[in-house]
Amino acid sequence: MELSRLLLLFERDLAQFKYPYLDILQIGLSPDVVTKRLSTLHISSDLLVILYGWRNGVLDMDNRVIGQMELFARAIMLPLENAIEHYDYAITNDMWKEKLFPIFTSGGGDFLLFDANEQNQTVGQILTYSPSVTLSEEPVSIYDDMNTMFETVIECYRQGAYRFDESGFIEVDYQIEQQLSQSKNPNSEYWKLDN
C-alpha cells in the first residue's frame, strides 16, 4: 500500500482506538515547502514529502508532557523545523551520518531516522539512534522501510500491543510488539537484539 493511503488508514485507526492527541498534530505542509527545506540539507525524498504533507509533527512540543505526545511507543513526531534543528546538531556533533533524517523522537534523546542516502545499504530504512538501548553509538535498523513502519504500528494497535490508559499515556505490551515487529521487519537488526 502506498504511504499516503497508509497514513490515512493510520489516522482513522488512531481515532477508532481513541488516540487522545490527534488535535496536537499540526496540519501538513505543502510539498514545495518540504522539498525546499530538505533541499537546504541536500536531502531529497518523496516519502518525507508525503509524511510531512500528512502532518507536521506535534504542535508546541516544549509545553507538553512527553508521554502524552507519542504516536506509538517511543515515537513523538517531530515538526519539520525541529527535525532540521536536530539533524544539524547531530551532523555537527558527529552523532550520526549525513542524510539520516530524524522523523520521531522519544523525547529523551533517542530518534527514529529515515535513511535518505542513496549510497547506503540501508537507504529507505528507518533506523533507531538509541545508544542506551542498542549499546552502540551507531544507528541500528528498526523498520525495513517507512511503509512497513506504519503497517507495523497499525498492527500493534490492532493486536493490543499499544493502547492508552485512562490518563492518556501509551501502554505497551512489549512481547506482542516484539513478535509483530520482528515478523514484519525481517531485515531490521533492532528486533533481533536482546533488549
Coordinates of all heavy atoms in Angstrom, one line a residue, residues 45-131:
S45 N 13.6 13.4 -0.9 CA 12.8 12.1 -0.6 C 11.3 12.4 -0.7 O 10.7 13.2 0.0 CB 13.1 11.7 0.9 OG 12.2 10.7 1.2
D46 N 10.7 11.7 -1.6 CA 9.3 11.7 -1.8 C 8.6 11.3 -0.6 O 7.5 11.8 -0.2 CB 8.8 10.9 -3.0 CG 9.3 11.5 -4.3 OD1 9.7 12.7 -4.4 OD2 9.3 10.7 -5.3
L47 N 9.1 10.3 0.1 CA 8.5 9.8 1.3 C 8.4 10.8 2.5 O 7.4 10.9 3.2 CB 9.2 8.5 1.8 CG 9.1 7.3 0.9 CD1 9.9 6.1 1.4 CD2 7.6 6.9 0.7
L48 N 9.5 11.6 2.6 CA 9.5 12.6 3.6 C 8.5 13.7 3.2 O 7.8 14.3 4.1 CB 10.9 13.2 3.8 CG 11.9 12.3 4.5 CD1 13.3 12.9 4.6 CD2 11.4 11.9 5.9
V49 N 8.4 14.0 1.9 CA 7.4 15.0 1.5 C 6.0 14.5 1.8 O 5.1 15.3 2.3 CB 7.6 15.2 -0.1 CG1 6.4 16.1 -0.6 CG2 8.9 15.9 -0.3
I50 N 5.7 13.2 1.6 CA 4.4 12.6 1.9 C 4.1 12.7 3.4 O 3.1 13.1 3.8 CB 4.3 11.2 1.3 CG1 4.2 11.2 -0.2 CG2 3.0 10.5 1.9 CD1 4.4 9.9 -0.8
L51 N 5.1 12.3 4.2 CA 5.0 12.2 5.6 C 4.6 13.6 6.2 O 3.7 13.8 6.9 CB 6.2 11.7 6.3 CG 6.2 11.7 7.8 CD1 5.1 10.7 8.3 CD2 7.6 11.3 8.4
Y52 N 5.4 14.6 5.8 CA 5.2 16.0 6.3 C 4.1 16.7 5.6 O 3.6 17.7 6.1 CB 6.5 16.8 6.3 CG 7.4 16.4 7.4 CD1 8.5 15.6 7.3 CD2 7.1 16.9 8.7 CE1 9.3 15.2 8.3 CE2 7.9 16.5 9.8 CZ 8.9 15.7 9.6 OH 9.7 15.3 10.7
G53 N 3.6 16.1 4.5 CA 2.4 16.6 3.9 C 1.1 16.1 4.6 O 0.1 16.8 4.6
W54 N 1.3 15.0 5.3 CA 0.2 14.4 6.1 C 0.0 15.2 7.4 O -1.0 15.8 7.6 CB 0.5 12.9 6.4 CG -0.4 12.3 7.4 CD1 -1.8 12.1 7.3 CD2 -0.1 11.8 8.7 NE1 -2.3 11.5 8.4 CE2 -1.2 11.3 9.3 CE3 1.1 11.7 9.4 CZ2 -1.2 10.8 10.6 CZ3 1.1 11.2 10.6 CH2 0.0 10.7 11.2
R55 N 1.1 15.3 8.1 CA 1.1 16.1 9.4 C 2.5 16.6 9.6 O 3.5 16.0 9.2 CB 0.8 15.2 10.6 CG -0.6 14.6 10.6 CD -1.7 15.7 10.8 NE -3.0 15.1 11.0 CZ -3.9 15.6 11.8 NH1 -3.7 16.7 12.5 NH2 -5.1 15.1 11.9
N56 N 2.6 17.8 10.3 CA 3.8 18.4 10.5 C 4.2 18.3 12.0 O 4.5 19.3 12.7 CB 3.8 19.9 10.1 CG 5.2 20.5 10.3 OD1 6.2 19.9 10.3 ND2 5.2 21.8 10.6
G57 N 4.1 17.1 12.5 CA 4.6 16.8 13.9 C 3.7 17.4 15.0 O 2.6 18.0 14.7
V58 N 4.2 17.4 16.2 CA 3.4 17.8 17.3 C 3.5 19.3 17.5 O 4.6 19.9 17.5 CB 3.9 17.1 18.6 CG1 3.2 17.7 19.9 CG2 3.6 15.6 18.5
L59 N 2.4 20.0 17.7 CA 2.3 21.4 18.0 C 2.8 21.7 19.4 O 2.4 21.1 20.3 CB 0.9 21.9 17.8 CG 0.6 23.4 18.1 CD1 1.2 24.2 17.1 CD2 -0.9 23.6 18.1
D60 N 3.7 22.7 19.5 CA 4.1 23.2 20.8 C 4.7 22.2 21.7 O 4.3 22.0 22.9 CB 2.9 23.9 21.5 CG 3.3 24.9 22.6 OD1 4.5 25.4 22.6 OD2 2.5 25.1 23.4
M61 N 5.7 21.4 21.2 CA 6.2 20.3 21.9 C 6.8 20.6 23.3 O 6.7 19.9 24.2 CB 7.4 19.6 21.1 CG 6.8 18.8 19.9 SD 8.2 18.1 19.0 CE 8.9 16.9 20.2
D62 N 7.4 21.8 23.4 CA 8.1 22.2 24.6 C 7.2 22.4 25.8 O 7.7 22.4 26.9 CB 8.9 23.5 24.4 CG 10.1 23.3 23.4 OD1 10.5 22.1 23.2 OD2 10.5 24.2 22.8
N63 N 5.9 22.5 25.5 CA 5.0 22.7 26.6 C 4.1 21.6 26.9 O 3.0 21.7 27.4 CB 4.2 24.0 26.3 CG 5.0 25.2 26.3 OD1 5.9 25.4 27.1 ND2 4.8 26.1 25.3
R64 N 4.5 20.4 26.5 CA 3.7 19.2 26.6 C 4.4 18.1 27.4 O 5.6 18.1 27.4 CB 3.2 18.6 25.3 CG 2.4 19.7 24.5 CD 1.7 19.0 23.3 NE 1.1 20.0 22.5 CZ -0.1 20.5 22.7 NH1 -0.8 20.1 23.7 NH2 -0.6 21.4 21.9
V65 N 3.7 17.2 28.0 CA 4.3 16.0 28.7 C 4.7 15.0 27.6 O 3.9 14.7 26.7 CB 3.2 15.4 29.7 CG1 3.8 14.2 30.3 CG2 2.8 16.5 30.7
I66 N 5.9 14.5 27.8 CA 6.4 13.5 26.8 C 5.5 12.4 26.5 O 5.1 12.0 25.4 CB 7.8 13.0 27.2 CG1 8.8 14.1 27.0 CG2 8.2 11.8 26.4 CD1 10.2 13.8 27.6
G67 N 5.0 11.7 27.6 CA 4.1 10.6 27.4 C 2.8 10.9 26.8 O 2.1 9.9 26.4
Q68 N 2.4 12.1 26.7 CA 1.1 12.5 26.1 C 1.3 13.1 24.7 O 0.5 13.8 24.2 CB 0.4 13.4 27.0 CG 0.0 12.7 28.3 CD -0.8 13.6 29.2 OE1 -0.6 14.8 29.2 NE2 -1.6 13.0 30.0
M69 N 2.4 12.7 24.0 CA 2.7 13.1 22.7 C 3.0 12.0 21.7 O 3.1 12.1 20.5 CB 3.8 14.1 22.6 CG 3.6 15.5 23.3 SD 4.9 16.6 23.0 CE 6.2 16.0 24.0
E70 N 3.2 10.8 22.3 CA 3.6 9.7 21.5 C 2.5 9.2 20.5 O 1.4 8.9 20.9 CB 4.0 8.5 22.4 CG 5.3 8.7 23.2 CD 5.6 7.6 24.1 OE1 4.7 7.2 25.0 OE2 6.7 7.0 23.9
L71 N 2.9 9.0 19.3 CA 2.0 8.4 18.3 C 2.0 6.9 18.4 O 1.1 6.2 18.2 CB 2.5 8.7 16.8 CG 1.9 10.0 16.2 CD1 2.5 10.2 14.8 CD2 0.4 9.9 16.1
F72 N 3.2 6.4 18.8 CA 3.4 5.0 19.1 C 4.5 4.9 20.1 O 5.1 5.9 20.4 CB 3.5 4.1 17.9 CG 4.5 4.5 16.9 CD1 5.8 3.9 16.9 CD2 4.3 5.4 15.9 CE1 6.7 4.2 16.0 CE2 5.2 5.8 15.0 CZ 6.4 5.2 15.0
A73 N 4.9 3.7 20.5 CA 5.9 3.6 21.5 C 7.2 4.2 21.1 O 7.7 4.0 20.1 CB 6.2 2.1 21.8
R74 N 7.7 5.1 22.0 CA 9.0 5.8 21.8 C 9.0 6.7 20.6 O 10.0 6.9 20.0 CB 10.1 4.8 21.8 CG 10.2 3.9 23.0 CD 11.1 2.7 22.9 NE 10.8 1.8 21.8 CZ 9.9 0.8 21.8 NH1 9.2 0.7 22.9 NH2 9.7 0.0 20.8
A75 N 7.9 7.2 20.2 CA 7.8 7.9 18.9 C 6.9 9.2 18.9 O 5.7 9.1 18.8 CB 7.4 7.0 17.8
I76 N 7.5 10.3 19.1 CA 6.8 11.6 19.1 C 7.2 12.2 17.7 O 8.4 12.4 17.4 CB 7.3 12.5 20.2 CG1 7.0 11.9 21.6 CG2 6.7 13.9 20.0 CD1 7.7 12.6 22.7
M77 N 6.3 12.5 16.9 CA 6.6 13.1 15.5 C 7.2 14.5 15.7 O 6.5 15.4 16.2 CB 5.4 13.1 14.6 CG 5.8 13.4 13.2 SD 4.3 13.3 12.1 CE 5.1 13.8 10.6
L78 N 8.3 14.7 15.1 CA 9.0 16.0 15.1 C 8.4 16.9 14.0 O 8.3 16.5 12.9 CB 10.5 15.8 14.9 CG 11.3 15.2 16.0 CD1 12.7 14.7 15.4 CD2 11.5 16.1 17.1
P79 N 8.1 18.1 14.4 CA 7.8 19.1 13.3 C 9.0 19.3 12.4 O 10.2 19.1 12.9 CB 7.5 20.4 14.1 CG 7.1 20.0 15.5 CD 7.9 18.7 15.7
L80 N 8.8 19.6 11.2 CA 9.9 19.6 10.2 C 11.1 20.6 10.7 O 12.2 20.2 10.6 CB 9.4 20.1 8.8 CG 10.5 20.1 7.7 CD1 11.1 18.7 7.5 CD2 9.9 20.6 6.4
E81 N 10.7 21.7 11.2 CA 11.8 22.7 11.6 C 12.6 22.1 12.8 O 13.8 22.2 12.9 CB 11.2 24.0 12.0 CG 10.7 24.8 10.8 CD 11.7 25.0 9.7 OE1 12.9 25.3 10.0 OE2 11.4 24.8 8.5
N82 N 11.9 21.4 13.8 CA 12.6 20.8 14.9 C 13.5 19.6 14.4 O 14.6 19.4 14.9 CB 11.6 20.2 15.9 CG 10.9 21.3 16.6 OD1 10.2 22.1 16.0 ND2 11.0 21.3 18.0
A83 N 13.0 18.9 13.4 CA 13.7 17.8 12.8 C 15.0 18.3 12.2 O 16.1 17.7 12.3 CB 12.9 17.0 11.8
I84 N 14.9 19.4 11.5 CA 16.1 20.0 10.8 C 17.1 20.5 11.9 O 18.3 20.3 11.7 CB 15.6 21.2 9.9 CG1 14.9 20.6 8.7 CG2 16.8 22.0 9.5 CD1 14.2 21.6 7.8
E85 N 16.6 21.1 13.0 CA 17.5 21.5 14.1 C 18.2 20.3 14.7 O 19.4 20.4 14.9 CB 16.7 22.2 15.1 CG 16.2 23.6 14.7 CD 15.2 24.2 15.8 OE1 15.1 23.7 16.9 OE2 14.6 25.2 15.4
H86 N 17.5 19.2 14.9 CA 18.1 18.0 15.5 C 19.1 17.4 14.5 O 20.2 17.0 14.8 CB 17.1 17.0 15.8 CG 16.3 17.3 17.1 ND1 16.9 17.3 18.3 CD2 15.0 17.6 17.3 CE1 16.0 17.6 19.3 NE2 14.9 17.8 18.6
Y87 N 18.8 17.5 13.2 CA 19.7 17.0 12.2 C 21.0 17.8 12.1 O 22.1 17.2 12.1 CB 19.0 17.0 10.8 CG 19.8 16.6 9.6 CD1 20.0 15.2 9.3 CD2 20.5 17.5 8.8 CE1 20.8 14.8 8.3 CE2 21.3 17.1 7.8 CZ 21.4 15.8 7.5 OH 22.2 15.4 6.5
D88 N 20.8 19.1 12.1 CA 22.0 20.0 12.1 C 22.9 19.7 13.3 O 24.1 19.6 13.1 CB 21.6 21.4 12.0 CG 21.1 21.9 10.6 OD1 21.4 21.2 9.6 OD2 20.4 22.9 10.6
Y89 N 22.3 19.6 14.4 CA 23.0 19.4 15.7 C 23.8 18.0 15.6 O 25.0 17.9 15.9 CB 22.1 19.4 16.9 CG 22.9 19.1 18.2 CD1 23.5 20.2 18.9 CD2 22.9 17.9 18.7 CE1 24.2 20.0 20.0 CE2 23.6 17.6 19.9 CZ 24.2 18.7 20.6 OH 24.9 18.4 21.7
A90 N 23.1 17.0 15.1 CA 23.6 15.6 15.1 C 24.8 15.6 14.1 O 25.8 15.0 14.4 CB 22.6 14.6 14.7
I91 N 24.7 16.2 13.0 CA 25.7 16.2 12.0 C 26.9 17.0 12.5 O 28.1 16.5 12.3 CB 25.2 16.7 10.6 CG1 24.1 15.9 10.1 CG2 26.3 16.9 9.6 CD1 24.4 14.4 10.0
T92 N 26.7 18.1 13.0 CA 27.7 19.0 13.6 C 28.5 18.3 14.7 O 29.7 18.4 14.8 CB 27.2 20.3 14.1 OG1 26.5 21.0 13.1 CG2 28.3 21.2 14.7
N93 N 27.8 17.5 15.5 CA 28.5 16.8 16.6 C 28.8 15.3 16.3 O 29.0 14.5 17.3 CB 27.6 16.9 17.8 CG 27.5 18.4 18.3 OD1 28.5 18.8 18.9 ND2 26.5 19.1 18.0
D94 N 28.7 14.9 15.1 CA 29.1 13.5 14.6 C 28.3 12.5 15.4 O 28.8 11.4 15.7 CB 30.6 13.3 14.8 CG 31.4 14.1 13.9 OD1 31.0 14.3 12.7 OD2 32.5 14.6 14.3
M95 N 27.0 12.7 15.6 CA 26.1 11.7 16.3 C 25.7 10.6 15.3 O 25.6 9.5 15.7 CB 24.9 12.4 16.9 CG 25.2 13.3 18.1 SD 23.8 14.3 18.6 CE 22.6 13.0 19.1
W96 N 25.5 11.0 14.1 CA 25.2 10.1 13.0 C 25.5 10.7 11.7 O 25.9 11.9 11.6 CB 23.7 9.6 13.0 CG 22.6 10.7 12.9 CD1 22.3 11.4 11.8 CD2 21.8 11.1 13.9 NE1 21.3 12.2 12.0 CE2 20.9 12.1 13.3 CE3 21.5 10.8 15.3 CZ2 19.9 12.7 14.1 CZ3 20.6 11.4 16.0 CH2 19.8 12.4 15.4
K97 N 25.5 9.9 10.6 CA 25.9 10.3 9.3 C 24.9 11.2 8.6 O 23.7 11.1 8.9 CB 26.2 9.1 8.4 CG 27.4 8.2 9.0 CD 27.6 7.0 8.1 CE 28.8 6.3 8.7 NZ 28.6 4.9 8.9
E98 N 25.4 11.9 7.6 CA 24.5 12.8 6.8 C 23.5 11.9 6.1 O 23.7 10.8 5.8 CB 25.4 13.5 5.8 CG 26.2 14.6 6.4 CD 26.9 15.5 5.3 OE1 26.5 15.5 4.2 OE2 27.9 16.1 5.7
K99 N 22.3 12.6 5.9 CA 21.2 12.1 5.2 C 20.4 11.0 6.0 O 19.6 10.3 5.5 CB 21.5 11.6 3.8 CG 22.0 12.7 2.9 CD 22.1 12.3 1.5 CE 22.5 13.6 0.7 NZ 22.5 13.3 -0.8
L100 N 20.8 10.9 7.3 CA 19.9 10.1 8.2 C 19.1 11.2 8.9 O 19.5 11.9 9.8 CB 20.8 9.4 9.2 CG 21.6 8.2 8.7 CD1 22.4 7.6 9.8 CD2 20.8 7.2 7.9
F101 N 17.8 11.3 8.5 CA 17.0 12.4 8.9 C 16.0 12.0 10.0 O 15.2 11.0 9.9 CB 16.2 12.9 7.7 CG 15.5 14.2 8.0 CD1 16.2 15.4 8.0 CD2 14.1 14.3 8.3 CE1 15.6 16.6 8.3 CE2 13.5 15.4 8.5 CZ 14.2 16.6 8.5
P102 N 16.0 12.7 11.2 CA 15.2 12.4 12.3 C 13.7 12.7 12.1 O 13.4 13.9 11.7 CB 15.7 13.2 13.5 CG 16.3 14.4 12.8 CD 16.8 13.9 11.5
I103 N 12.8 11.7 12.2 CA 11.4 12.0 12.0 C 10.6 11.8 13.3 O 9.5 12.4 13.4 CB 10.8 11.1 10.9 CG1 11.1 9.6 11.1 CG2 11.3 11.6 9.5 CD1 10.5 8.7 10.1
F104 N 11.1 11.0 14.2 CA 10.5 10.8 15.5 C 11.5 10.9 16.6 O 12.7 10.6 16.4 CB 9.8 9.5 15.6 CG 8.6 9.3 14.7 CD1 8.7 8.7 13.5 CD2 7.3 9.8 15.1 CE1 7.6 8.6 12.6 CE2 6.2 9.6 14.3 CZ 6.4 9.0 13.1
T105 N 11.1 11.3 17.8 CA 12.0 11.3 19.0 C 11.3 10.6 20.1 O 10.0 10.6 20.2 CB 12.4 12.7 19.4 OG1 13.2 12.6 20.5 CG2 11.2 13.6 19.7
S106 N 12.0 10.1 21.0 CA 11.4 9.5 22.3 C 11.2 10.6 23.3 O 10.5 10.4 24.2 CB 12.4 8.5 22.9 OG 13.6 9.2 23.4
G107 N 11.8 11.8 23.0 CA 11.7 12.9 24.0 C 12.9 12.8 25.0 O 13.0 13.8 25.8
G108 N 13.7 11.8 24.9 CA 14.8 11.6 25.8 C 16.1 11.4 25.2 O 17.0 10.8 25.8
G109 N 16.2 11.9 23.9 CA 17.5 11.8 23.2 C 17.6 10.7 22.2 O 18.6 10.5 21.5
D110 N 16.6 9.8 22.1 CA 16.6 8.8 21.1 C 15.8 9.2 19.9 O 14.8 10.0 20.0 CB 16.0 7.5 21.6 CG 16.7 6.9 22.8 OD1 17.9 7.3 23.0 OD2 16.1 6.1 23.6
F111 N 16.1 8.7 18.7 CA 15.5 9.2 17.5 C 15.2 8.0 16.5 O 16.0 7.1 16.5 CB 16.3 10.2 16.7 CG 16.5 11.5 17.5 CD1 17.6 11.6 18.4 CD2 15.6 12.5 17.4 CE1 17.8 12.8 19.1 CE2 15.8 13.7 18.1 CZ 16.9 13.9 18.9
L112 N 14.2 8.1 15.7 CA 13.9 7.3 14.6 C 14.4 8.1 13.4 O 13.9 9.2 13.2 CB 12.5 6.8 14.5 CG 12.0 5.9 15.6 CD1 10.5 5.5 15.3 CD2 12.8 4.7 15.7
L113 N 15.3 7.5 12.6 CA 15.9 8.2 11.5 C 15.5 7.6 10.2 O 15.5 6.4 10.0 CB 17.4 8.2 11.6 CG 18.0 8.5 13.0 CD1 19.5 8.2 13.0 CD2 17.8 10.0 13.2
F114 N 15.2 8.4 9.2 CA 14.9 7.9 7.8 C 16.2 8.0 7.0 O 16.8 9.1 7.0 CB 13.8 8.8 7.2 CG 13.5 8.4 5.7 CD1 12.9 7.2 5.4 CD2 14.0 9.2 4.7 CE1 12.7 6.9 4.1 CE2 13.8 8.8 3.4 CZ 13.1 7.7 3.1
D115 N 16.6 6.9 6.5 CA 17.8 6.9 5.7 C 17.5 7.4 4.2 O 17.0 6.6 3.5 CB 18.5 5.5 5.7 CG 19.9 5.5 5.0 OD1 20.2 6.5 4.4 OD2 20.6 4.5 5.2
A116 N 17.9 8.6 3.9 CA 17.7 9.2 2.6 C 19.0 9.2 1.8 O 19.0 9.8 0.7 CB 17.2 10.6 2.8
N117 N 20.0 8.4 2.2 CA 21.3 8.4 1.4 C 21.2 7.2 0.4 O 21.3 6.1 0.8 CB 22.4 8.2 2.4 CG 23.8 8.4 1.7 OD1 23.9 8.2 0.5 ND2 24.8 8.7 2.4
E118 N 21.2 7.6 -0.8 CA 21.1 6.6 -1.9 C 22.3 5.7 -1.9 O 22.3 4.6 -2.5 CB 20.9 7.3 -3.3 CG 19.6 8.0 -3.4 CD 18.4 7.2 -3.5 OE1 18.5 6.0 -3.9 OE2 17.3 7.7 -3.1
Q119 N 23.4 6.1 -1.3 CA 24.6 5.3 -1.3 C 24.7 4.3 -0.2 O 25.5 3.4 -0.2 CB 25.9 6.2 -1.1 CG 25.9 7.4 -2.1 CD 25.8 6.9 -3.6 OE1 26.6 6.0 -4.0 NE2 25.0 7.5 -4.4
N120 N 23.8 4.4 0.8 CA 23.8 3.4 1.9 C 23.0 2.1 1.6 O 22.1 2.2 0.8 CB 23.1 4.1 3.1 CG 23.9 5.1 3.8 OD1 25.1 5.3 3.5 ND2 23.3 5.9 4.6
Q121 N 23.5 1.1 2.1 CA 22.8 -0.2 2.0 C 21.4 -0.1 2.7 O 20.5 -0.9 2.4 CB 23.6 -1.4 2.6 CG 24.7 -1.8 1.8 CD 25.4 -3.0 2.4 OE1 25.7 -3.0 3.5 NE2 25.6 -4.0 1.5
T122 N 21.3 0.7 3.6 CA 20.0 0.9 4.4 C 19.1 2.0 3.9 O 18.2 2.4 4.6 CB 20.4 1.1 5.9 OG1 21.2 2.3 6.0 CG2 21.0 0.0 6.6
V123 N 19.4 2.4 2.7 CA 18.5 3.5 2.1 C 17.0 3.1 2.2 O 16.7 2.0 1.9 CB 18.9 3.9 0.7 CG1 18.7 2.7 -0.3 CG2 18.2 5.1 0.2
G124 N 16.2 4.1 2.6 CA 14.8 3.9 2.8 C 14.4 3.2 4.1 O 13.2 3.3 4.5
Q125 N 15.3 2.7 4.8 CA 15.0 2.0 6.1 C 14.9 3.1 7.2 O 15.3 4.2 7.1 CB 16.1 1.1 6.5 CG 16.1 -0.2 5.8 CD 17.0 -1.3 6.4 OE1 18.1 -0.9 7.0 NE2 16.7 -2.5 6.3
I126 N 14.2 2.7 8.3 CA 14.1 3.5 9.5 C 15.1 2.9 10.4 O 15.1 1.7 10.7 CB 12.7 3.5 10.1 CG1 11.6 3.9 9.0 CG2 12.6 4.4 11.3 CD1 11.8 5.3 8.4
L127 N 16.0 3.8 11.0 CA 17.0 3.4 11.9 C 16.7 4.0 13.3 O 16.1 5.1 13.3 CB 18.4 3.7 11.5 CG 18.9 3.0 10.2 CD1 18.5 3.8 9.0 CD2 20.3 2.8 10.2
T128 N 17.1 3.4 14.3 CA 17.0 4.0 15.6 C 18.4 4.4 16.1 O 19.3 3.7 16.0 CB 16.3 3.0 16.7 OG1 16.1 3.7 17.9 CG2 17.1 1.8 16.9
Y129 N 18.4 5.6 16.6 CA 19.6 6.1 17.3 C 19.2 6.1 18.8 O 18.4 6.9 19.3 CB 20.0 7.5 16.9 CG 21.1 8.1 17.7 CD1 22.4 7.8 17.4 CD2 20.9 9.0 18.7 CE1 23.5 8.3 18.1 CE2 21.9 9.5 19.5 CZ 23.2 9.1 19.2 OH 24.3 9.6 19.9
S130 N 19.7 5.1 19.5 CA 19.3 4.9 20.9 C 20.5 4.2 21.6 O 20.4 3.0 21.9 CB 18.1 4.0 21.0 OG 17.7 3.9 22.3
P131 N 21.6 4.9 21.9 CA 22.8 4.3 22.4 C 22.5 3.6 23.7 O 23.2 2.5 24.0 CB 23.7 5.5 22.7 CG 23.3 6.5 21.7 CD 21.8 6.4 21.6

